[in-house]
């Protein structure tokens, strides 16, 4: 990583960072080794007659190959009867522009584009009568590319000491290209070559869709006094793909009733676009006939209500409590009675492919969050956060269940201390520690017999959706370090020993069907892992 000035008079600067990694020791649940690299940069061109410009960007590549003959019974992300190749790419670039219109107003604009792609290829092995591998063939080809083009502009105006206004627009154009061609588990046609290899790829998915999403908003803040202020806003979303529209009012009130204490209340109606792979999913309505049966789904919506209390009870100390309730509605679910809901999408690696969905689902999230913070002073800092919550939903079967994210509680604790050493006290010994624990993640149990009958493709007991829980998560990290600063302060050497997961707890990651053992096995995360690092800054 490097950063520095481009032109000191114009206060322009640059920042660039590149990483290349091989995560061999830290891989979870597999012997395959992931490779990754990324580059990010930001160029600030300083003040000009046309305003201030910033150019930023980021790009990343990653890949992992699962080679069948290298798989053992502990590898739960691969199949010993096939080779699988996974690669991903991400790229974005954008330009920020800040223009001061006068002493009381300014305009901030951003334009940019993002591309995300993922590829999956699978080769199946060919066996002879003695179960020896004599060849292989390409069984599955899948590619997903999502392009996003963005333009946002925000106008800010301070009319007087009591009233200011913010208004803007965010326009995003989504382009989704998704193809899946498959002949895995398909029969060979004897009348052709009778070589044991399926003769034709079957197109499972072929999507190329472009649609804009337009968001407009306006928000005003009025200060009745230095201690009491009121926010009122209106937000609107419009999806051109199916002409869905959502008008969302929002408001908030904040009262600083003592020098150290404040309380606030907020309400808002919020909407979220249905994930594009769900919205454009093509369902096979009859043999060989595919239709987009989800294309009329409306936005998912929720009422958000929050009340918060903030107390600065001592110098550099703060206590914050926040209670919230969210009522989710218009969540896509199946027409027929089932436990499925889009609210759980994102908990797994892939989207569940379901068609003929309707916006009839609902859910509830509510909880209490507490934060105790000691800002860095007197050589140490501290932060403790606790969240107690409930997250439930109902599918078309009308049964209230845990969502995939209902861990019930989360606690994080951080503490850090520095001791200045040396004659001039410019060097330091550092100590940092972090403790995290959460409740067990809900999951849907696998039907082992049905999975075996389905050629090893997992079948879940959906009538028992998210009825089981993994064990609670616990992790404690400890880091020791030494920082050596040069006399002129131009060079800093830092040495760290980072002891991750010092209790060697192997937290549960997921339960998967294992084709090697023909059983349901548990994938655990990495236990104790020491990390050693040297960093030089100049």
């Amino acid at each position: 990583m490097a950063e520095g000035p481009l032109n000191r008079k114009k206060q322009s600067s640059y920042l660039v960072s590149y990483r290349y990694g091989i995560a061999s020791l830290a891989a979870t649940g597999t012997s395959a080794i992931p490779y990754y690299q990324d580059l990010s940069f930001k160029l600030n061109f300083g003040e000009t007659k046309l305003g201030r410009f910033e150019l930023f960007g980021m790009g990343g590549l990653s890949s992992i190959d699962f080679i069948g003959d290298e798989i053992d019974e502990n590898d739960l992300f691969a199949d010993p009867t096939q080779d699988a190749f996974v690669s991903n790419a991400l790229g974005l670039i954008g330009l920020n522009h800040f223009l001061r219109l006068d002493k009381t107003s300014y305009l901030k604009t951003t334009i940019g584009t993002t591309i995300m792609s993922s590829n999956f290829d699978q080769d199946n092995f060919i066996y002879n009568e003695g179960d020896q591998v004599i060849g292989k063939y390409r069984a599955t080809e899948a590619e997903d590319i999502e392009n996003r083009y963005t333009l946002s502009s925000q106008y800010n105006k301070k009319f007087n000491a009591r009233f200011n206004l913010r208004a803007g627009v965010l326009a995003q154009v989504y382009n989704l290209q998704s193809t899946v061609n498959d002949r895995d588990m398909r029969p060979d046609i004897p009348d052709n070559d009778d070589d044991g290899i399926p003769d034709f790829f079957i197109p499972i998915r072929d999507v190329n869709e472009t649609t804009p999403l337009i968001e407009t908003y306006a928000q005003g803040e009025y200060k009745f006094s230095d201690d009491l202020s009121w926010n009122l806003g209106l937000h609107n979303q419009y999806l051109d793909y199916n002409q869905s529209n959502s008008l969302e009012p929002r408001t908030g009130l904040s009262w600083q009733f003592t020098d150290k204490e404040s309380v606030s209340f907020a309400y808002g109606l919020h909407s979220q676009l249905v994930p594009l792979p769900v919205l454009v999913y093509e369902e096979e309505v009859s043999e060989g006939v595919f239709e987009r049966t989800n294309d009329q789904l409306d936005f998912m919506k929720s009422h958000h209500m929050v009340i918060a209390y903030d107390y600065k009870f001592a110098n550099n100390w703060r206590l914050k409590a926040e209670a919230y309730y969210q009522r989710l509605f218009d969540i896509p679910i199946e027409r027929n009675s089932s436990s499925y809901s889009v609210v759980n999408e994102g908990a797994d690696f892939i989207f569940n492919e379901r068609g003929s969905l309707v916006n009839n689902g609902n859910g509830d999230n509510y909880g209490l969050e507490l934060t105790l913070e000691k800002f860095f002073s007197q050589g140490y800092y501290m932060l403790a956060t606790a969240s107690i919550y409930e997250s439930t939903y109902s599918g078309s079967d009308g049964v209230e269940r845990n969502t995939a994210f209902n861990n019930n509680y989360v606690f994080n604790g951080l503490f850090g201390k520095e001791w200045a050493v040396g004659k001039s006290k410019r060097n330091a010994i550092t100590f940092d520690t972090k403790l995290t624990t959460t409740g067990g993640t809900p999951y849907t149990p696998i039907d082992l017999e049905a999975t075996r009958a389905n050629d090893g493709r997992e079948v879940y007991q959906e009538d028992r959706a998210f009825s089981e829980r993994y064990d609670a998560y616990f992790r404690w990290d400890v880091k020791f370090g030494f920082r050596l600063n040069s006399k002129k302060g131009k060079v800093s050497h830092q040495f760290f020993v980072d002891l991750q997961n010092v209790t060697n707890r192997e937290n549960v990651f997921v339960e998967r069907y294992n084709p090697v053992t023909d059983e349901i096995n548990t994938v655990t995360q990495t236990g104790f892992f020491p990390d050693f690092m040297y960093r030089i800054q100049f």
Side-chain angles (χ1 to χ4, degrees):
M1 182 180 71
E3 61 179 328
L6 290 173
N7 187 314
R8 296 184 186 277
K9 292 182 179 180
K10 294 183 178 181
Q11 296 183 332
S12 60
S13 61
Y14 71 92
L15 172 67
V16 61
S17 175
Y18 173 75
R19 299 187 303 174
Y20 181 83
I22 305 173
S24 57
L25 294 176
T28 297
T30 181
S31 58
I33 299 175
Y35 296 84
Y36 62 90
Q37 57 182 313
D38 59 68
L39 171 71
S40 60
F41 69 90
K42 184 177 182 179
L43 305 177
N44 184 338
F45 297 103
E47 296 293 340
T48 70
K49 294 181 179 180
L50 298 177
R52 187 171 69 244
F53 292 89
E54 290 181 345
L55 181 67
F56 61 91
M58 182 176 71
L61 301 170
S62 65
S63 64
I64 185 169
D65 297 340
F66 300 98
I67 308 302
D69 58 11
E70 299 176 0
I71 301 305
D72 59 34
E73 67 178 29
N74 296 317
D75 199 316
L76 300 186
F77 290 96
D79 190 326
T81 66
Q82 59 191 220
D83 292 341
F85 310 93
V86 183
S87 62
N88 295 276
L90 165 69
L92 67 89
I93 189 168
L95 181 68
N96 288 328
H97 177 233
F98 180 90
L99 180 64
R100 175 70 65 179
L101 301 176
D102 54 44
K103 293 181 179 180
T104 63
S105 62
Y106 65 87
L107 187 67
K108 185 178 180 180
T109 303
T110 300
I111 58 173
T113 182
T114 304
I115 180 172
M116 294 181 292
S117 69
S118 62
N119 290 270
F120 175 83
D121 295 316
Q122 176 185 312
D123 293 341
N124 284 4
F125 295 164
I126 303 173
Y127 297 88
N128 60 18
E129 295 180 355
D131 287 334
Q132 295 176 319
V133 177
I134 58 175
K136 57 184 178 180
Y137 64 93
R138 180 56 50 88
T140 303
E141 297 176 338
E143 181 180 41
D144 292 293
I145 301 175
E146 181 178 312
N147 297 289
R148 184 183 305 180
Y149 308 94
T150 302
L151 169 64
S152 68
S153 189
Q154 181 184 98
Y155 172 73
N156 291 263
K157 171 72 173 179
K158 185 175 182 179
F159 290 90
N160 52 51
R162 293 188 179 275
F163 180 64
N164 62 73
L165 176 69
R166 174 180 298 173
V169 60
L170 171 61
Q172 300 181 85
V173 178
Y174 292 87
N175 172 252
L176 178 65
Q177 303 170 44
S178 180
T179 58
V180 178
N181 296 310
D182 180 77
R183 53 178 176 172
D184 186 24
M185 311 302 292
R186 309 286 178 177
D188 180 30
I189 300 177
D191 293 340
N192 288 354
D193 46 29
D194 197 22
D195 58 358
I197 301 175
D199 294 287
F200 302 105
F201 277 105
I202 297 177
I204 304 299
R205 185 164 64 239
D206 187 6
V207 173
N208 189 343
E209 187 66 47
T210 300
T211 183
L213 174 67
I214 309 296
E215 300 179 53
T216 54
Y217 60 90
Q219 174 186 319
E221 181 185 24
Y222 185 79
K223 293 184 178 181
F224 297 96
S225 67
D226 291 339
D227 302 324
L228 183 63
S229 62
W230 178 41
N231 282 278
L232 182 64
L234 199 61
H235 182 268
N236 189 78
Q237 294 193 78
Y238 173 76
L239 180 66
D240 185 69
Y241 177 72
N242 56 14
Q243 290 78 55
S244 295
N245 194 79
S246 177
L247 187 63
E248 306 156 11
R250 298 169 188 177
T251 187
L253 189 67
S254 178
W255 180 29
Q256 182 86 33
F257 59 93
T258 72
D259 292 340
K260 298 180 178 180
E261 297 172 281
S262 66
V263 64
S264 61
F265 170 79
Y267 162 78
L269 175 63
H270 294 258
S271 299
Q272 184 176 343
L273 177 67
V274 175
L276 283 179
V278 175
L279 193 64
V280 301
Y281 170 67
E282 296 181 339
E283 182 181 8
E284 188 172 12
V285 295
S286 60
E287 187 174 358
V289 178
F290 294 85
E291 293 182 3
R292 296 184 183 181
T293 56
N294 294 335
D295 60 355
Q296 294 304 308
L297 288 174
D298 201 353
F299 290 99
M300 302 180 288
K301 302 181 181 68
S302 64
H303 295 291
H304 288 205
M305 286 167 280
V306 180
I307 184 169
Y309 170 74
D310 197 308
Y311 181 31
K312 297 178 181 178
F313 58 89
N315 289 335
N316 300 309
W317 285 89
R318 185 182 75 159
L319 174 66
K320 185 175 182 179
E322 184 175 283
Y324 64 90
Y325 173 71
Q326 299 173 349
R327 175 59 178 177
L328 313 180
F329 62 100
D330 286 354
I331 308 299
I333 57 176
E334 292 189 294
R335 296 178 185 273
N336 299 324
S337 179
S338 80
S339 61
Y340 174 78
S341 173
V342 168
V343 76
N344 296 306
E345 295 289 3
D348 206 346
F349 296 109
I350 60 173
F351 286 97
N352 288 284
E353 297 183 338
R354 308 289 180 109
S356 302
L357 302 180
V358 291
N359 288 103
N360 292 338
N362 57 64
D364 294 281
N365 299 321
Y366 55 91
L368 175 66
E369 295 186 355
L370 299 172
T371 300
L372 177 63
E373 185 173 10
K374 163 66 169 61
F375 301 103
F376 184 81
S377 64
Q378 299 173 316
Y380 76 100
Y381 71 90
M382 190 189 77
L383 176 66
T385 63
S387 179
I388 304 171
Y389 62 95
E390 191 73 18
S391 178
T392 60
Y393 80 100
S394 296
S396 55
D397 58 5
V399 178
E400 185 178 75
R401 295 180 167 87
N402 295 311
T403 69
F405 312 99
N406 192 20
N407 296 75
N408 291 140
Y409 69 87
V410 177
F411 173 80
N412 286 286
L414 293 86
F415 176 82
K417 173 70 175 173
E418 285 192 1
W419 293 271
V421 296
K423 292 182 179 181
S424 59
K425 301 297 183 181
R426 68 172 179 266
N427 305 319
I429 298 173
T430 63
F431 170 80
D432 298 273
T433 185
K434 178 182 179 181
L435 186 147
T436 299
T437 182
T438 71
T441 301
Y443 70 95
T444 302
I446 299 172
D447 187 328
L448 180 58
E449 295 305 320
T451 297
R452 289 169 173 167
N454 196 38
D455 296 313
R457 300 187 179 191
E458 290 173 336
V459 178
Y460 294 90
Q461 303 178 40
E462 296 199 2
D463 59 328
R464 299 178 57 201
F466 307 107
S467 60
E468 302 291 331
R469 285 185 182 273
Y470 297 129
D471 293 338
Y473 178 94
F474 180 87
R475 174 169 165 168
W476 181 24
D477 299 339
V478 177
K479 183 165 68 174
F480 301 93
F482 180 71
R483 186 173 65 247
L484 181 64
N485 298 317
S486 65
K487 290 182 179 181
K488 295 183 179 181
K490 294 184 176 181
V491 179
S492 174
H493 302 270
Q494 299 176 55
F495 306 85
F496 296 104
V497 178
D498 190 2
L499 307 178
Q500 301 177 18
N501 197 359
V502 294
T503 64
N504 197 32
R505 183 184 178 93
E506 296 185 354
N507 292 291
V508 176
F509 180 61
V510 72
E511 284 195 352
R512 287 286 175 89
Y513 170 73
N514 189 334
V516 178
T517 63
D518 193 31
E519 297 290 344
I520 298 172
N521 293 151
T522 301
V523 182
T524 59
Q525 300 185 38
T526 304
F528 174 68
F529 185 79
D531 190 16
F532 305 91
M533 183 171 66
Y534 165 68
R535 176 189 297 156
I536 180 172
Q537 292 179 295
F538 54 90

